[in-house]
Amino acid sequence: MSDTKIDTLAEQLRQRIKDGEFGTSGRIPPHRVLAEQLNTTRETVNKIVQLLQSEGLLISRDKSVYVQTPSLRFPGFVANVEQYIRDHGQEPVTEFLEKPNLVSLPEAIAKRMSRKQGEMVPHRLLRQGIKYTTRTAYYRWSENFYNPDLVKGEIFEGLQSDPQFDTWIAIKNKYGIEVLRSKNIAFARLPTLQEQKALEIVRGTPVLEIDRAQVAQNDLIVMVNKIVYVGNLFELSFTTEVER
């Protein structure tokens, strides 16, 4: 079957999803039933489902396919993601992907932090999502490198013990230091295999990577983040100055 025909049939199913035929998180019919409804083969239905998965409209779980969650709207910079989600009436999920610990600074991160390559700094790797009745939709991978002069002692212990530990608040309360701005580099790409597994997305799903340095008073770098957003789950809104 031609790509044009597949696109035509995909648009039919896409419209049914957008019209709410399957609800906001309901299961779509089995491939056999969809093939009959669309007057095509199960092989073609599989290609259509894969296409709509990469667009974020469908997700596979427990050998069934479900409608994906509605898009989220995030501003370009949120001080506390979990609280932002709660404020919008939803339940956040934040999980460690590995135990937080001290790691050797990679060269690229060291440059952004204005520190020496190989220096040991606190590191935390998380995945974040929203919990729904039957499942969790993961939308963000967050890798954080922290200023070791600030994140130590009880702050480091809190970082290790609780994935939702608010490092910003802890630093502000202890040192009176507050993040004032961020320096960002953003680009779109396809996910790595590790990101696909952690975020439960297919290879063709676009992601947006934002490499961000969090800056406090006197140009002090508090932390550097590598944040990977599942690009089709929400929109980022920005207000910026025009460069002349």
Side-chain angles (χ1 to χ4, degrees), residues 10-50:
E11 177 56 27
Q12 293 180 25
L13 183 56
R14 187 183 294 115
Q15 192 59 53
R16 290 169 64 184
I17 293 169
K18 292 181 178 179
D19 288 342
E21 180 175 334
F22 311 108
T24 57
S25 59
R27 185 172 63 181
I28 67 170
H31 284 30
R32 173 184 56 79
V33 176
L34 278 178
E36 294 174 356
Q37 293 175 351
L38 297 172
N39 192 27
T40 189
T41 65
R42 295 178 65 175
E43 179 182 0
T44 298
V45 167
N46 187 53
K47 293 179 179 179
I48 291 170
V49 168
Q50 289 179 348

Side-chain angles (χ1 to χ4, degrees), residues 76-232:
F77 187 77
V78 179
N80 188 306
V81 176
E82 290 90 356
Q83 190 57 51
Y84 185 89
I85 291 173
R86 291 189 192 96
D87 290 344
H88 287 75
Q90 296 175 307
E91 183 179 350
V93 173
T94 302
E95 301 169 344
F96 291 133
L97 287 172
E98 59 185 42
K99 180 176 174 57
N101 214 328
L102 296 175
V103 300
S104 174
L105 265 182
E107 181 180 3
I109 303 298
K111 287 181 178 179
R112 299 209 72 193
M113 295 185 74
S114 300
R115 305 189 78 95
K116 293 181 180 179
Q117 180 182 355
E119 182 179 358
M120 302 301 288
V121 301
H123 172 265
R124 182 165 67 168
L125 182 61
L126 306 167
R127 67 175 177 179
Q128 295 168 295
I130 294 178
K131 185 175 182 60
Y132 294 90
T133 303
T134 58
R135 60 191 176 86
T136 298
Y138 296 102
Y139 63 86
R140 182 170 120 153
W141 159 299
S142 179
E143 183 173 17
N144 309 309
F145 298 85
Y146 298 92
N147 186 324
D149 299 327
L150 302 175
V151 178
K152 56 187 178 180
E154 68 271 18
I155 296 181
F156 185 47
E157 292 173 3
L159 188 81
Q160 289 185 303
S161 63
D162 181 3
Q164 294 191 16
F165 180 77
D166 195 325
T167 315
W168 285 13
I169 295 297
I171 290 174
K172 180 180 178 181
N173 290 342
K174 184 168 183 177
Y175 302 104
I177 294 173
E178 188 171 9
V179 172
L180 301 178
R181 65 185 187 278
S182 64
K183 299 178 180 178
N184 305 288
I185 301 171
F187 54 93
R189 60 175 174 80
L190 293 176
T192 65
L193 181 60
Q194 188 180 15
E195 291 163 355
Q196 292 172 48
K197 292 180 178 179
L199 298 172
E200 300 181 359
I201 55 178
V202 297
R203 184 180 184 279
T205 302
V207 297
L208 176 67
E209 178 178 331
I210 298 182
D211 296 337
R212 172 179 290 161
Q214 315 282 22
V215 186
Q217 301 95 322
N218 301 317
D219 291 328
L220 176 66
I221 304 297
V222 175
M223 67 184 79
V224 168
N225 314 94
K226 172 187 171 183
I227 304 173
V228 179
Y229 296 95
V230 179
N232 50 34

Side-chain angles (χ1 to χ4, degrees), residues 239-243:
T239 300
T240 61
E241 298 296 326
V242 177
E243 294 189 13

